[in-house]
Amino acid sequence: MTKSHPLLQLFFWLVMSIFAGSGMLMMAIYLYLAPTLPDTEELKDVELQTPLRVYSADGKLISEFGEKRRTPLTYAEIPPQFINALLASEDDGFFEHHGIDLKGLARAAFELIRTGRKKSGGSTITMQVAKNYYLSSEKTFARKFTEILLALKIEQSLSKQDILELYINKIYLGKRAYGIEAAAQVYYGKSIKELNLAQLAMIAGLPQAPSAANPVNNPRRALDRRNYVLARMRTLEMISAEEFDQAARAPVTARYHGATSEVVAPYVAEMVRREMVERYGDEAYTLGYNVYTTVDTNRQLAANRALQTGLLKYDRDHGYRLPKPMAPINTLDVAENPELEPWLSKADKAYDIDWPETLEQWDSILRDQDDMGLISPAIVRSVENDGAWIYQNNSERWLPFSGMLWAKPYVNVNIIGSEPEKPADLLSAGQRIWVEEGQDGLILAQVPEAEGSIVSLRPNDGAIQALVGGFSLGNNKFNRVIQADRQPGSAFKPFIYSAALANGFTPASIINDAPVVFEDASLENTWRPQNNSGKFYGPTRLRQALYKSQNLVSIRILKQVGPSRAVNYIEPFGFPRSKLNADLSLALGASAVTPMELATGYCVLANGGYAVDPYLISRIEDSNGNILFTATPRTVCRECEKPQSGTAEEQLSASELEQQLQQQLNPEEALPLAPRVMDERTHFLMISMLKDVVRLGTGKRALALNRDDLAGKTGTTNDQKDAWFSGFSPDLVTTVWIGFDQPKTLGRWAFGSNTALPIWVDYMGSALNGVPEHPFEQPEGIVSVRIDPETGLLATPGQSNAIFEYFKEEDVPSQPVKIAPTNGSGETELVPEQLF
């Protein structure tokens, strides 16, 4: 014993030296790293990166933007069963340790020494919080020591509940999902609170390998991990044997769910995104801004449907375009599969289709297709005598031949071929097609080549109620409402006529609709304008000329008013002066404007003569609900300009009128007054003429809405390159445009009245559903008198064909119609008084 004593002493001092050296080393590491540790108090005020979200006026989600999908939860909102699942898989001693698990770290160190490879990090949830919020993912000892020290510091500053809350909101769980609520939405399309035990265990198992082992990318591996979590929960007696058995047998129901949009309005969302980036830079994507737009959910959905329905109809009317792209069809070699021999026909003796592999590729092709609204992608599986079986959404569907009969081959924009005789004339196996849901089954479809747009504004303040910039944003991101400058044609004439009524013309003024030739240096060459019909109608009243859309009358009245004077009058309606041609081509709508600009101009006609500015964003909130911005649009206040009685001192000042408007419309925010740019009497005369466009003229299709408060104007440009209808009630203005992005004819039979107007009627029927009729009020100073319809002069007593016409009091004709001597038949002739 005495001989071994020195050895024991040596061993004792060796052990003590190791402990002392380790302690000194740890102290040195602590002294070196401690000054670099961040202040954990910052975690209490940390801002999680959350996406930009865009909502409709009634709070429905339109879209979200941002690299990270995240919806933060409080600890109280976390389902207890999920907490159990998470702790069972990640850190079952979380509520007992002080930030680090010594056994876990020792086990990880031993594995590293024994194998030379890192198998487990021994990290606690607190250590993962430290890494996620403060540290990089580099695998170094210095980073690991910093993580340990920071975890200890976090435990001293925050409660266990706070730490767990930070963890479940920060952790990456695959597919751009950060936090458990976002993961629940991504994989199941539900809130974490709505998931069952198997689904909660699936989410809890994701932190280990969120990209490689999530249920979308690798269902088999994700299932194994889920069952491991369930087994751990059973071992720790967090669930019963029955709960374990039921959850472990549950199938994998996860699939990818994109951002759950309640309102399809991609062009609106993109407009908001650009505005937010302009305001806040790249932080717009990460600080959790919530943007509330002026868009009305029901009107937006109606606009989507109306525009797509109209474009699909136009496309069907002009034939089916071939060929269509093909999808791959994989085959099996019979020589390698002799057991297939008895099942093959003579034609298939060499090969048969490998359907599992083929359908897997078809699924991938179909998933990659952009959303196209009313039409959806499909692939032809087989063609039969009376239809075709198509593959779509992991299942077969029947496309009857009756749904293909429209598909006469496209020859050119004016000619289509003969009706198909059998499905094989159009389709073949493997062909990629589009289909539309019809009342009697599927209908063959195709993505239209013609494009269009629709924009709807609230005329009293310019709030955008609905906006669709094309058939599909996925097909083309060009927003035709705000980016497409196109000639409006006759849809611009109401502004020319308004200028005329403001400068001495009346609805009864007679203009000679006759051939005219202009030689104008500003027009570069001789100009011989014509009416669309190619006919000339002679002396015509201004009212008739508008609802018949006679071009030569528009040119003559603009010549008399003067192009410069007309531009000065029209510009305040909302048209950029730089876009308005100061020459006679202005009369025919040759000045290119956007649909938004045209709709803005029509707001003046709808709201009583006031200029408003279109706007989309109603308010912006931060992630905590604090309001950062509220729109203050120029707003119509008819009461504010009514004559006031009393002395000058007793009358309200302009600022007091604005305060009055503030009290009437929004007591918390002052709203600027919309300025009057059109005299109320001129406005009334113009409205009465535009109502006749609907009642008697090119806008007759709008009579289908059975309302008496509608007015508007069609527009068709040269060679039918653009088709328009812009119309309104006092409560809503809507402009529809149809054309090709690269201007070319829509066809010889395409006009505003039969191409754009049906879309407008379809939309307005839904948009005004439940909105009572709102008649346009007749102002003081307007009188109605009987006139002769041929001359515009006062009718003679007892004249049988006399009509009533509206005039400003000072513009009532002073002379009755002149009675010429009787002609040979004994009848008197009326002599029209032509202006020129």
Side-chain angles (χ1 to χ4, degrees), residues 25 34 128 168 210 215 239 376 380 414 473 480 562 676 732 734 758:
L25 179 62
Q128 292 184 56
I168 63 101
I239 56 176
S376 55
V380 178
N414 293 313
L473 184 71
R480 294 152 193 86
R676 177 175 283 284
L732 195 64
T734 301

Side-chain angles (χ1 to χ4, degrees), residues 238-258:
M238 293 175 173
I239 56 176
S240 66
E242 182 181 353
E243 288 175 316
F244 169 77
D245 291 339
Q246 184 178 357
R249 288 196 301 266
V252 176
T253 58
R255 61 182 179 85
Y256 180 73
H257 294 75

Side-chain angles (χ1 to χ4, degrees), residues 451 453 486-488 491 714-717 720-725 736-739 746 750-757:
E451 274 292 354
S453 68
R486 305 295 290 244
Q487 294 183 358
T714 54
T716 309
T717 58
Q720 289 78 43
K721 292 179 180 177
D722 302 272
W724 299 77
F725 188 80
V736 175
W737 166 83
I738 302 296
L746 288 163
F751 300 96
S753 58
N754 60 12
T755 305
L757 178 54

Side-chain angles (χ1 to χ4, degrees), residues 288-414:
Y289 293 114
N290 295 311
V291 182
Y292 291 85
T293 67
T294 59
V295 168
D296 179 279
T297 295
N298 293 330
R299 287 174 173 174
Q300 180 64 41
L301 296 177
N304 295 340
R305 185 194 65 249
L307 183 64
Q308 286 208 331
T309 299
L311 288 173
L312 288 169
K313 180 185 183 305
Y314 169 86
D315 199 64
R316 284 194 297 270
D317 290 345
H318 288 79
Y320 193 60
R321 298 181 298 277
L322 290 169
K324 301 296 180 186
M326 302 294 291
I329 297 178
N330 299 302
T331 57
L332 292 168
D333 192 333
V334 175
E336 297 177 2
N337 297 274
E339 65 275 10
L340 296 177
E341 176 71 24
W343 304 97
L344 301 178
S345 65
K346 282 187 177 181
D348 294 325
K349 285 296 182 182
Y351 292 98
D352 192 18
I353 296 174
D354 182 354
W355 280 114
E357 180 66 24
T358 296
L359 295 182
E360 184 175 341
Q361 292 190 33
W362 286 9
D363 282 329
S364 177
I365 291 171
L366 295 175
R367 280 196 304 268
D368 289 342
Q369 288 286 355
D370 291 313
D371 178 40
M372 290 288 178
L374 292 183
I375 63 174
S376 55
I379 298 175
V380 178
R381 178 157 183 169
S382 64
V383 181
E384 312 295 339
N385 291 331
D386 54 348
W389 288 103
I390 65 169
Y391 185 73
Q392 185 182 61
N393 298 327
N394 297 311
S395 62
E396 285 189 346
R397 302 189 66 189
W398 178 248
L399 173 61
F401 186 45
S402 59
M404 311 179 203
L405 291 175
W406 69 267
K408 303 171 184 178
Y410 172 89
V411 178
N412 61 48
V413 73
N414 293 313

